[in-house]
Amino acid sequence: MEIIRDELIAAAESVYGTRRLTDDSECGSVAAALITDKGNIYRGICLDTPCSLGFCAEQAAIASMLTAGENRIEAIVAVTEDGCILPPCGRCRELMYQVNHENISTQIFLEEGSATLRDLLPHVWN
């Protein structure tokens, strides 16, 4: 799993970098990468807007995966520009579960080690 962790971190790092879009909107300060059960890697970056229309990097990576016709996530990581690894927010955790209930066993890489989605989302919304 260490090789996958390093590969996903490198994939996320390849797309992050804050970019100003307008006076009050920017993107790219957080990037995510995931690997599917078919071995494909998808990346995404966050979008930060002042009126809450933005989205997380994990959501962008998941949307890319869904666009390609996949929905089973084996592992995922989110990385900031300063090298910190972030756990997914509650909305991202629930989205992973909602696109495929088997994602409850998705490996989520954390700053220290990893956890499954089940560990981070013990009570799913139904």
Side-chain angles (χ1 to χ4, degrees), residues 3-103:
I3 293 171
I4 292 172
R5 177 188 176 98
D6 293 343
E7 185 177 1
L8 288 181
I9 290 170
E13 289 175 342
S14 74
V15 294
Y16 70 41
T18 301
R19 296 178 290 286
R20 175 83 34 210
L21 302 172
T22 65
D23 290 342
D24 52 5
S25 296
E26 63 185 29
C27 66
S29 62
V30 177
L34 64 83
I35 188 167
T36 66
D37 61 335
K38 294 180 180 162
N40 296 313
I41 294 177
Y42 298 96
R43 298 167 189 86
I45 58 171
C46 67
L47 172 61
D48 297 311
T49 64
C51 61
S52 74
L53 289 177
F55 48 80
C56 298
E58 295 95 331
Q59 293 167 20
I62 291 166
S64 180
M65 171 190 68
L66 294 172
T67 299
E70 296 188 70
N71 68 350
R72 177 65 180 93
I73 306 166
E74 287 294 320
I76 191 168
V77 70
V79 182
T80 66
E81 285 182 288
D82 58 2
C84 292
I85 295 175
L86 301 175
C89 71
R91 184 175 177 196
C92 290
R93 295 173 194 190
E94 190 63 43
L95 178 63
M96 283 186 262
Y97 179 74
Q98 293 297 326
V99 300
N100 187 326
H101 295 326
E102 291 179 27
N103 288 337

